[in-house]
Amino acid sequence: MSVTPTTRKRVTTRRLIDMKASGTPIACLTAYDAITAGILDGAGVDVLLVGDSVGNVVQGHDTTIPVTLEHMIYHTQAVVRAVEHALVVTDMPFMTYQVTPQEAFRNAGRLMKEAGSGAVKLEGGQRVLEAVHMMTDSGIPVMAHLGLTPQSIHQFGSYKERGVSQQEADDIKRDAIALEKAGAFAIVLEKIPASLAAEVTALVRVPTIGIGAGPNCDGQILVWTDMMGMSTEFRPRFVRRYAEIHDVMTRAVRSYVSDVKGHTFPTDEESY
Ligand code: KIV
């Protein structure tokens, strides 16, 4: 089916739940700035996540741990300015929702009120239930995130697949049901076996959004710089590269450097 961006209505959390019910796949990507968000939104993406992957992709850190609430507010404001159709969801960074449910609630409120986000996302199961309850009771839509949760990298010790042992698989299923009960409108499933993602998807009425979780989720999400081939090093098997932007940019910049050094840019037509 072709997407006609100009006729698209603003995506809501309700609409995503209806899309699951009608078997319509949900296409999600990350975004961190206005110019990119405008392109992704115009091309028909349903959900734009201002992910705390901004720490890796934009800030150059090895993990998402250093990202702050102020960073997320800044990047969300830029994305929101450019988006007309997609639902904008903002990640709550490490230590902005783990200390107390009250603090989590206040910080989620800032992302909605100051940044203009349409929803927040936080990682974890049992330990975030009270915070999720408090937010959803007050009208703050929450996207949950289970499986590989990058903010816990120092606890896991690696970015390996999660939910492989029976115990972990059972915990993920139990957490998904509890998060739906607490009011979450969607659940990201990261790097878990496709068979487990299919089971979770069948267990809950809210959509599951997979990243490295196989084809049976209700939607998919990728980090936009990964799917565009911006990096030469990061090539996990769950990322399909839809372009080779690293090569395109390198060629373009080499041409520019050569033109400047060869005195062929700018020409008279490019001058005033
Ligand atoms: O921060 C992020 O980009 C994410 C997605 C990978 C789901 O959490």
Side-chain angles (χ1 to χ4, degrees):
M1 193 184 77
S2 71
V3 177
T4 319
T6 47
T7 62
R8 291 171 66 223
K9 286 207 197 103
R10 175 73 77 169
V11 177
T12 60
T13 57
R14 181 71 250 165
R15 170 112 156 258
L16 297 176
I17 293 169
D18 291 345
M19 285 170 81
K20 171 171 181 139
S22 66
T24 309
I26 302 165
C28 317
L29 285 174
T30 65
Y32 316 104
D33 64 82
I35 192 163
T36 313
I39 295 169
L40 307 181
D41 185 49
V45 171
D46 298 305
V47 175
L48 284 174
L49 171 68
V50 187
D52 61 353
S53 50
V54 71
N56 307 88
V57 172
V58 178
Q59 299 173 342
H61 294 295
D62 287 339
T63 72
T64 58
I65 307 281
V67 177
T68 68
L69 193 69
E70 303 306 324
H71 296 154
M72 298 311 293
I73 290 173
Y74 172 84
H75 287 282
T76 301
Q77 285 171 337
V79 168
V80 165
R81 279 181 207 121
V83 168
E84 288 178 11
H85 303 289
L87 174 70
V88 177
V89 180
T90 303
D91 251 334
M92 298 196 69
F94 184 58
M95 293 311 287
T96 64
Y97 60 94
Q98 289 93 339
V99 180
T100 64
Q102 287 74 14
E103 192 176 292
F105 181 49
R106 253 195 311 276
N107 288 333
R110 286 192 66 195
L111 291 171
M112 303 290 289
K113 214 171 150 78
E114 293 175 41
S117 195
V120 300
K121 175 166 89 57
L122 39 80
E123 299 181 1
Q126 293 296 321
R127 64 189 161 81
V128 298
L129 284 181
E130 206 181 324
V132 174
H133 254 301
M134 201 176 246
M135 291 173 200
T136 57
D137 271 356
S138 301
I140 299 178
V142 177
M143 179 180 268
H145 185 156
L146 295 172
L148 175 65
T149 47
Q151 290 175 16
S152 306
I153 178 61
H154 295 308
Q155 188 179 25
F156 291 153
S158 83
Y159 288 105
K160 275 211 319 253
E161 193 183 352
R162 312 300 306 179
V164 177
S165 72
Q166 192 58 52
Q167 180 62 56
E168 246 187 43
D170 289 345
D171 288 350
I172 289 171
K173 286 189 271 187
R174 182 205 60 205
D175 285 348
I177 292 167
L179 285 160
E180 177 181 37
K181 244 196 202 134
F185 72 88
I187 304 171
V188 169
L189 298 175
E190 181 163 354
K191 225 169 171 188
I192 62 171
S195 55
L196 173 59
E199 276 189 77
V200 174
T201 300
L203 275 175
V204 293
R205 270 167 300 132
V206 295
T208 57
I209 309 294
I211 173 162
N216 295 314
C217 296
D218 300 301
Q220 298 291 331
I221 185 161
L222 286 173
V223 170
W224 86 265
T225 49
D226 295 343
M227 55 82 78
M228 290 291 187
M230 295 278 276
S231 156
T232 49
E233 286 124 46
F234 187 64
R235 289 171 178 268
R237 87 176 209 223
F238 64 84
V239 173
R240 183 178 296 177
R241 289 165 78 101
Y242 286 84
E244 292 297 337
I245 298 298
H246 183 277
D247 297 348
V248 171
M249 283 181 74
T250 303
R251 272 198 304 277
V253 174
R254 280 198 181 126
S255 294
Y256 167 74
V257 169
S258 160
D259 288 352
V260 170
K261 292 193 182 292
H263 301 281
T264 60
F265 174 80
T267 60
D268 286 347
E269 291 73 42
E270 290 160 331
S271 307
Y272 296 94

